[in-house]
Amino acid sequence: MKKRFLSVWLFALCAVIIMSSVTGYAESVNLSKVESIIAGKQDKLVFGTIVSVSGQVCSVSVVDDVGETKTTAGADSAEDSEPEKESLVGKDIDVVGLESYMYYEGFDHRPKLGDNVLLSLNFNGNFYLVKNGAFVVSEASYHSFSFIVPDTIVNTSSEAELTALYMFVSSNGLNADYEVENSEVYTHNIANGEKTLVPVPTGISFVNEKGETTKEAENSNMPGFDVGQSYDSLMWVRSLIIIVLGAVVGIFIVKLLLNIEKRSESK
């Protein structure tokens, strides 16, 4: 009886540790992607509307180009004429890898026709690839958008990282001076070197699994939307590996402790 109780207790402890690790891993992945976006580690950061979906390729009509350089395809220099250096506003581009939205892991939601999106993209010479994530937004413009995300991230560090990203994007990429610390967002006053706390959440509309608005950071009526399937495949593959390894380690620890207990009883 004592051995059975010990086994159950140890398995429960291992399960808690594993799930905590998976949650922490998911949040760290999202945060690193947000930091990469703010650091400009992509060829393009654009707002657009999905106008067609065909297999693994989505066609997106670009409405706003965050931090746009205003160059055109008719520029004189060879460097300026490179597609990834051009303004994409008003163009339809093919995007590969737009299969899910950030923070929708486990939700039954897949990008669909008519969605307004914010996309971090790299150009490979023929089409664009999702680089640091895709986000569903209320409007395809940095002037008046809000992120639309599941209410499962309420009161988590994800609120803070999204707030930092919102502040960066809504400045058209001009102000990147935001840092996330202990689920709070700070910006700096260059004049006196002091930190300024940014209200969290800002620029975010929360929805439940049915797509119904449950909470909004700002006073605006964001529409709900239909839900289809979506998750970050790579993240969940890694998470599954963590779970399997954790289970193996947990079983090993349980057997080791039981053997130790058995030896002590036999003495």
Side-chain angles (χ1 to χ4, degrees), residues 44-52 57-65 83 86-96 98 117 119-123 126-129:
K44 285 290 184 180
L45 182 61
V46 302
F47 281 99
T49 302
I50 298 177
V51 293
S52 72
V57 181
C58 289
S59 181
V60 177
S61 178
V62 179
V63 178
D64 254 339
D65 192 337
E86 300 171 9
S87 169
L88 298 178
V89 174
K91 298 181 179 180
D92 288 354
I93 60 173
D94 289 333
V95 178
V96 175
L98 179 51
V117 293
L119 306 174
S120 167
L121 302 171
N122 269 1
F123 186 68
N126 296 304
F127 48 80
Y128 286 87
L129 296 164

Side-chain angles (χ1 to χ4, degrees), residues 109-259:
H109 185 78
R110 191 177 290 279
K112 66 182 188 306
L113 185 68
D115 279 356
N116 293 319
V117 293
L118 173 66
L119 306 174
S120 167
L121 302 171
N122 269 1
F123 186 68
N124 77 342
N126 296 304
F127 48 80
Y128 286 87
L129 296 164
V130 174
K131 172 63 175 176
N132 293 311
F135 305 82
V136 62
V137 293
S138 59
E139 295 182 46
S141 171
Y142 74 87
H143 295 287
S144 56
F145 81 100
S146 289
F147 289 110
I148 300 177
V149 294
D151 56 12
T152 51
I153 75 164
V154 172
N155 298 324
T156 71
S157 62
S158 296
E159 279 190 331
E161 66 201 36
L162 259 186
T163 293
L165 183 59
Y166 173 81
M167 301 300 290
F168 168 72
V169 173
S170 62
S171 74
N172 195 23
L174 298 178
N175 191 349
D177 184 24
Y178 297 99
E179 63 176 288
V180 177
E181 183 179 314
N182 297 324
S183 297
E184 294 181 323
V185 181
Y186 296 90
T187 186
H188 297 83
N189 187 323
I190 298 176
N192 57 27
E194 294 181 353
K195 285 184 178 182
T196 301
L197 185 64
V198 178
V200 173
T202 297
I204 305 173
S205 178
F206 297 99
V207 295
N208 59 23
E209 291 192 42
K210 296 180 180 179
E212 301 166 336
T213 301
T214 59
K215 177 185 176 184
E216 295 176 11
E218 298 178 337
N219 294 324
S220 57
N221 295 317
M222 302 300 172
F225 48 87
D226 296 331
V227 259
Q229 168 130 23
S230 169
Y231 49 87
D232 186 330
S233 301
L234 180 58
M235 191 203 78
W236 285 109
V237 168
R238 290 173 177 173
S239 298
L240 181 60
I241 293 173
I242 293 173
I243 292 172
V244 172
L245 290 176
V248 171
V249 172
I251 292 172
F252 175 78
I253 292 173
V254 170
K255 288 185 176 180
L256 180 63
L257 290 176
L258 289 177
N259 287 335

